[in-house]
Amino acid sequence: MFSNLSEQLFTNWHPMRWVALIFGLALGYNWLAHNAPLSGALSIFFLFQAVTNTGCMAGQCAPRAVASEEPIEDVEYEEIK
């Protein structure tokens, strides 16, 4: 579990993810410097998206799936009449 989390945090840093991180840090500074609660909420939102690589940034609406070591078994379906 920890390797999956660390892989998600430290890989796949595309430019939009960096933009969200910078935007979240700038809003966080505004929140602390000017006591702006809306900036604080937006800062937490953008920092969460940047750190966890979630959200629809630049058309990437889900984090990259980690390939498991176990092969996926075929599922058989039965028609019910």
Side-chain angles (χ1 to χ4, degrees), residues 52-74:
T52 61
N53 195 22
T54 56
C56 288
M57 297 184 291
Q60 197 173 21
C61 291
R64 182 178 54 91
V66 178
S68 65
E69 296 176 10
E70 299 176 9
I72 299 174
E73 298 178 18
D74 289 335

Side-chain angles (χ1 to χ4, degrees), residues 4 8 13-14 18-19 21 23 38 51 56 59 63 67 78 81:
N4 186 17
Q8 186 177 2
W13 278 84
H14 49 83
W18 284 105
V19 168
L21 179 68
F23 196 60
L38 182 60
V51 170
C56 288
E78 181 179 331
K81 295 182 180 183

Side-chain angles (χ1 to χ4, degrees), residues 1-66:
M1 180 177 136
F2 183 72
S3 63
N4 186 17
L5 178 64
S6 65
E7 183 177 336
Q8 186 177 2
L9 290 176
F10 298 119
T11 58
N12 199 21
W13 278 84
H14 49 83
M16 192 59 200
R17 195 171 172 188
W18 284 105
V19 168
L21 179 68
I22 293 169
F23 196 60
L25 291 173
L27 284 171
Y29 172 76
N30 187 38
W31 175 32
L32 295 174
H34 302 291
N35 195 18
L38 182 60
S39 292
L42 289 173
S43 170
I44 292 170
F45 175 73
F46 281 108
L47 287 174
F48 176 78
Q49 281 191 340
V51 170
T52 61
N53 195 22
T54 56
C56 288
M57 297 184 291
Q60 197 173 21
C61 291
R64 182 178 54 91
V66 178

